[in-house]
Amino acid sequence: MDIRKVFGANARRFRLALGLSQEAVAERMGVDRAFVSSMERGLQNATLLTIWEISQALGVRPADLLEEKFSKVRS
Amino acid sequence: MDIRKVFGANARRFRLALGLSQEAVAERMGVDRAFVSSMERGLQNATLLTIWEISQALGVRPADLLEEKFSKVRS
């Protein structure tokens, strides 16, 4: 399991469930859209503080973003 | 809530539940004991890959390390 891919897939799923664009999430976080895009593709080795910011932008718990059972990432 | 403190408190709690020393966890992770110590005190802004390594060293799920309900950290 690549935790970066699980994290990214979860972030994407929660974003889509809210009907938000990557742009909208990026704006909430004060980061660039490209960061949100690469994060959702599992390319970012995000830190705890970034995980916290994304969880607040998406209105979910930080732990939810690391739940393997949510993400449909093939390990 | 400071996610670094929640993460550190959880890591400490799981380590103690296993009866492991910081030294033993550091060895399992291939890091220095001082890193484990500062991490448990909430001073490390750990990355996803480090969270994964610690979860494997402690035999817990990565999401468990970010669960607020486990840690007794006053926010």
Side-chain angles (χ1 to χ4, degrees):
Chain A
M1 160 180 144
D2 182 331
I3 192 167
R4 293 166 297 184
K5 291 203 165 39
V6 169
F7 172 69
N10 284 334
R12 178 176 169 76
R13 216 175 48 72
F14 288 126
R15 172 175 66 79
L16 293 174
L18 289 170
L20 294 174
S21 65
Q22 288 182 340
E23 194 71 45
V25 172
E27 211 170 292
R28 289 185 180 192
M29 294 179 61
V31 298
D32 195 67
R33 191 198 65 75
F35 175 83
V36 174
S37 168
S38 65
M39 175 197 68
E40 288 187 355
R41 284 178 287 132
L43 302 177
Q44 291 287 344
N45 188 19
T47 66
L48 286 168
L49 292 177
T50 300
I51 295 166
W52 170 256
E53 281 164 25
I54 291 162
S55 74
Q56 299 308 290
L58 297 172
V60 298
R61 300 170 330 124
D64 291 339
L65 287 164
L66 299 191
E67 284 291 355
E68 222 189 313
K69 69 175 188 285
F70 291 146
S71 79
K72 291 186 188 55
V73 175
R74 280 167 302 289
S75 44
Chain B
M1 159 180 145
D2 182 332
I3 191 167
R4 294 166 298 182
K5 290 204 164 37
V6 169
F7 171 70
N10 284 334
R12 178 177 169 76
R13 219 177 43 75
F14 288 125
R15 172 174 67 79
L16 293 174
L18 289 169
L20 292 174
S21 65
Q22 288 182 340
E23 193 71 46
V25 172
E27 212 169 288
R28 288 186 180 190
M29 293 178 63
V31 298
D32 195 68
R33 191 200 64 76
F35 176 83
V36 174
S37 169
S38 64
M39 175 196 67
E40 290 188 353
R41 286 178 287 132
L43 303 176
Q44 292 287 343
N45 187 19
T47 66
L48 286 167
L49 291 177
T50 300
I51 294 166
W52 170 257
E53 280 167 25
I54 291 164
S55 72
Q56 298 308 290
L58 296 172
V60 297
R61 300 169 330 124
D64 291 340
L65 287 164
L66 300 191
E67 283 291 355
E68 222 190 312
K69 66 176 187 286
F70 290 146
S71 80
K72 291 185 189 56
V73 175
R74 279 167 305 287
S75 50

